[in-house]
Amino acid sequence: MSTTIQSLFGKLDDKAVKVLTNFDAVIQSVKPLNSKHLVSLPDTIRELSHQLTDERSSRRIGYMNQAAYLSAYTRYFMWWNLFRLTSLFSGFKSGAFSHLEDGSYCLDAGSGPLTVPIALLLSRPELRAKKITWYCMDLSQTALSLGEELFLAVCAALECEPWTIIRIKGALGEKLKNPVQLCTCANMFNEMYWNSSKPLEESAKRYSEIILPYMSTGAHSILVVEPGVPRTSRFISLTRDALIRKNYSIAAPCPHDKACPMDGRRGGKWCHFVLNTDNAPKKLHALSKEAKLPKERAAFSFVFAQKTTTEKTEVVNEKFSLRIASDPIKIPYKGIARYACSDAGLTLIFEKSTPFNSGDLLSLPPLSDNQRKRLPVDAKTGAVIIGG
């Protein structure tokens, strides 16, 4: 069986690698810490980590306005998020952001210290010369202000003209003067729905209805990224459904626009992707170790949806595509397999000579209707089996 494999993740150019590797120096040049605060930084990072995870119910909404926490956030959590997002953004297809031109407007909701605009600047060299305006929206004016300074410092390091930044202090739903061609929301929604008693279905529908009026009538896209845990994966799947109902196409990660077979329902599979951190900056690993938060894997769930100005055309003899979305599973007497998403539903595919990685997009020869009907089915999960 002839199979081509395309990684979900990409690589940065040399300039961007240098910036990401030395992002601590970028922060220090903008918001320097004295030696005393640098020594206490690992403890503050660990304290903030608890507030972002097991103590989130008691966390103050304005934690990003506190100088110590904002410093810890940018020097650790933002740095890790930049590693995640740049790996993801650089792996998107070459024309993923071709709808952004001179004069385009973008919205980054829950922007904090402008992590997403900085990640896009680092990972998409074709956008650096574009005259783009970003609405950066967040409840913390302090975080936005620091983020703009960091953004300008990164632009200087990349030797490119900065995009225009318009800071908006407020929550999702604030009015904008111009419609946008790109809306991004990274690690924002989980803070809004996590402790809510409302069903996730209601939250996903409501937030989608708030975002959609921001979008331009021409070609545009929406990107939502959340931490890779079952509850956020469920939210992402529901958001995907809401966008498909509004006639959006899914550019990534899904290889189809059909029902999600890994939708995070209780007891079922959940769509998420794991990035190996071996290539993360060594200084970031060292800081993680000092904070007693070593990180070997970076997991997240996301959906990238687009609307274009051209009508869809039916593809003849299309490849049978699968997106790997699980860790390897050792099946006695059969070998190593992974769960994947395909238009045939939940799929269990066995590795042969070439191992798969999380997020890999596999393209197999097309399957006829008869071939699909004859595929074996896993008795436990109902997944169709490929190569077993």
Side-chain angles (χ1 to χ4, degrees):
M1 183 185 295
S2 175
T3 304
T4 60
I5 302 176
Q6 180 182 341
S7 175
L8 178 65
F9 306 111
K11 295 182 179 180
L12 302 177
D13 63 19
D14 291 343
K15 283 185 178 180
V17 168
K18 186 176 181 181
V19 173
L20 185 64
T21 300
N22 299 291
F23 192 66
D24 58 332
V26 174
I27 301 173
Q28 188 69 2
S29 70
V30 169
K31 198 77 171 177
L33 290 182
N34 59 35
S35 56
K36 178 182 177 182
H37 288 146
L38 285 172
V39 169
S40 63
L41 180 62
D43 292 333
T44 309
I45 290 171
R46 191 164 58 255
E47 182 181 337
L48 180 56
S49 177
H50 284 300
Q51 293 209 25
L52 293 173
T53 53
D54 51 297
E55 297 176 3
R56 65 165 65 221
S57 60
S58 60
R59 183 185 66 220
R60 290 179 57 190
I61 294 177
Y63 71 96
M64 290 283 266
N65 287 319
Q66 299 178 49
Y69 281 162
L70 181 57
S71 180
Y73 184 88
T74 53
R75 291 168 185 268
Y76 178 80
F77 298 95
M78 181 181 181
W79 201 355
W80 272 118
N81 284 335
L82 285 175
F83 172 69
R84 287 188 188 92
L85 293 175
T86 55
S87 299
L88 178 64
F89 295 165
S90 58
F92 284 168
K93 292 180 179 179
S94 58
F97 299 100
S98 60
H99 58 293
L100 297 183
E101 299 289 349
D102 288 347
S104 290
Y105 287 84
C106 303
L107 166 65
D108 184 33
S111 192
L114 276 64
T115 306
V116 170
I118 292 173
L120 273 173
L121 191 72
L122 290 171
S123 56
R124 306 300 298 200
E126 77 274 17
L127 295 180
R128 292 175 193 166
K130 302 286 186 183
K131 293 178 172 59
I132 297 172
T133 298
W134 277 88
Y135 292 112
C136 295
M137 183 184 296
D138 199 272
L139 293 172
S140 172
Q141 187 68 265
T142 306
L144 290 173
S145 179
L146 175 57
E148 186 170 6
E149 292 184 71
L150 293 172
F151 175 78
L152 294 174
V154 170
C155 289
L158 294 175
E159 300 177 310
C160 65
E161 289 296 316
W163 298 325
T164 300
I165 302 296
I166 299 176
R167 288 180 276 160
I168 299 177
K169 183 182 184 298
L172 186 68
E174 292 285 334
K175 290 186 178 180
L176 304 180
K177 288 186 178 180
N178 298 280
V180 302
Q181 284 73 46
L182 171 65
C183 176
T184 62
C185 311
N187 301 320
M188 177 189 75
F189 286 120
N190 70 92
E191 296 199 6
M192 298 166 69
Y193 65 68
W194 197 269
N195 294 318
S196 173
S197 59
K198 295 180 180 178
L200 272 182
E201 290 81 358
E202 181 180 333
S203 296
K205 182 176 183 293
R206 180 162 60 91
Y207 295 142
S208 297
E209 289 174 346
I210 295 174
I211 288 174
L212 291 174
Y214 287 132
M215 310 313 299
S216 72
T217 55
H220 60 260
S221 54
I222 296 172
L223 174 66
V224 181
V225 185
E226 290 288 299
V229 296
R231 184 167 169 79
T232 55
S233 175
R234 175 68 178 149
F235 176 82
I236 289 289
S237 179
L238 291 166
T239 300
R240 173 188 182 273
D241 290 347
L243 293 175
I244 289 175
R245 285 195 293 272
K246 296 296 183 179
N247 298 316
Y248 279 78
S249 295
I250 306 303
C254 318
H256 61 87
D257 286 351
K258 295 182 179 180
C260 176
M262 308 181 78
D263 60 7
R265 291 179 188 271
R266 188 180 298 275
K269 304 300 178 185
W270 49 288
C271 179
H272 66 292
F273 304 99
V274 178
L275 177 62
N276 188 298
T277 63
D278 288 349
N279 295 324
K282 292 181 179 179
K283 290 187 289 184
L284 179 54
H285 273 299
L287 179 59
S288 299
K289 188 175 180 180
E290 287 183 62
K292 299 179 182 178
L293 296 169
K295 194 178 292 290
E296 297 179 356
R297 293 152 51 95
F300 56 89
S301 298
F302 79 99
V303 63
F304 185 35
Q306 294 183 324
K307 267 197 176 181
T308 65
T309 54
T310 58
E311 292 185 5
K312 290 184 181 179
T313 57
E314 187 176 348
V315 179
V316 179
N317 202 33
E318 189 176 11
K319 294 280 189 178
F320 180 56
S321 299
L322 308 91
R323 179 76 75 179
I324 300 296
S326 83
D327 287 333
I329 305 161
K330 188 174 182 179
I331 299 179
Y333 311 111
K334 290 190 176 182
I336 303 298
R338 288 184 187 248
Y339 285 105
C341 174
S342 76
D343 65 6
L346 183 64
T347 305
L348 186 67
I349 183 166
F350 281 80
E351 295 182 354
K352 297 301 182 182
S353 58
T354 304
F356 304 142
N357 294 302
S358 178
D360 281 352
L361 182 65
L362 313 182
S363 295
L364 283 64
L367 297 177
S368 67
D369 289 341
N370 284 335
Q371 287 174 316
R372 288 173 182 249
K373 289 177 183 177
R374 297 204 310 266
L375 289 173
V377 175
D378 179 58
K380 182 178 179 181
T381 63
V384 297
I385 300 174
I386 303 289

